[in-house]
Amino acid sequence: IMKDENCIFCKLANGDIPTATVYEDEYLRAIMDAAPANKGHIIILPKSHAANIYELEDEYVSRAFVLAKKLAVALKKLTGCDGVNILQNNGEAAGQTVFHFHVHVIPRFKDDDCTIVWKPTSYEDGEASEVAKKIAELL
């Protein structure tokens, strides 16, 4: 496990700072967010440091999203929420503020004040297919 001594999320993930821990295994720790969007908001943290999804090993990424699904099911049972956001931001332009990969699992209720929105745009004719083809070539 690679740690960054200056990273607050490394410290949280590895138990150096006390947290309300929901889940822990050798790869991940899931904790209650200290500044939740809604009550029940959980953050999944890899124990190994990677600033974002581009740097994180596939094993950690897949484990994090499998855990996110399990936590979403548990939150629905516990809170009776109407929905769940599973969010993961990469880079400042995408809203990332702590540069240690993490996944948010946020219970949502019909009339809550939590807003996650974007202004939809559109493609010109044939543009989506061209972009899809270029992305597929890079995989």
Side-chain angles (χ1 to χ4, degrees):
I1 292 178
M2 195 178 90
K3 289 193 241 178
D4 177 342
E5 295 303 320
N6 298 314
C7 175
I8 187 81
F9 277 12
C10 278
K11 292 174 183 174
L12 292 167
N14 289 285
D16 300 332
I17 297 172
T19 61
T21 299
V22 175
Y23 174 87
E24 182 178 10
D25 65 21
E26 63 184 289
Y27 297 91
L28 306 168
R29 183 183 297 249
I31 65 173
M32 301 308 296
D33 192 307
N38 273 333
K39 289 193 169 39
H41 181 168
I42 299 166
I43 307 174
I44 301 168
L45 304 166
K47 291 184 174 182
S48 189
H49 183 79
N52 49 50
I53 201 166
Y54 314 118
E55 298 176 7
L56 191 62
E57 294 175 33
D58 289 352
E59 177 79 5
Y60 284 89
V61 175
S62 60
R63 287 176 178 274
F65 280 95
V66 168
L67 179 56
K69 186 251 183 181
K70 290 177 180 177
L71 292 170
V73 170
L75 281 169
K76 181 127 179 81
K77 285 180 185 173
L78 176 69
T79 68
C81 58
D82 300 307
V84 173
N85 284 118
I86 297 172
L87 302 172
Q88 201 283 308
N89 304 321
N90 297 283
E92 195 174 336
Q96 186 178 12
T97 58
V98 178
F99 295 91
H100 179 113
F101 173 93
H102 56 286
V103 179
H104 296 269
V105 184
I106 306 169
R108 296 301 305 274
F109 302 90
K110 282 190 179 114
D111 297 320
D112 68 25
D113 289 329
C114 182
T115 56
I116 300 160
V117 297
W118 57 85
K119 182 180 170 188
T121 61
S122 61
Y123 290 104
E124 300 296 324
D125 282 347
E127 187 181 9
S129 295
E130 279 302 309
V131 173
K133 182 180 175 184
K134 289 176 183 176
I135 293 169
E137 290 169 358
L138 294 170
L139 296 178

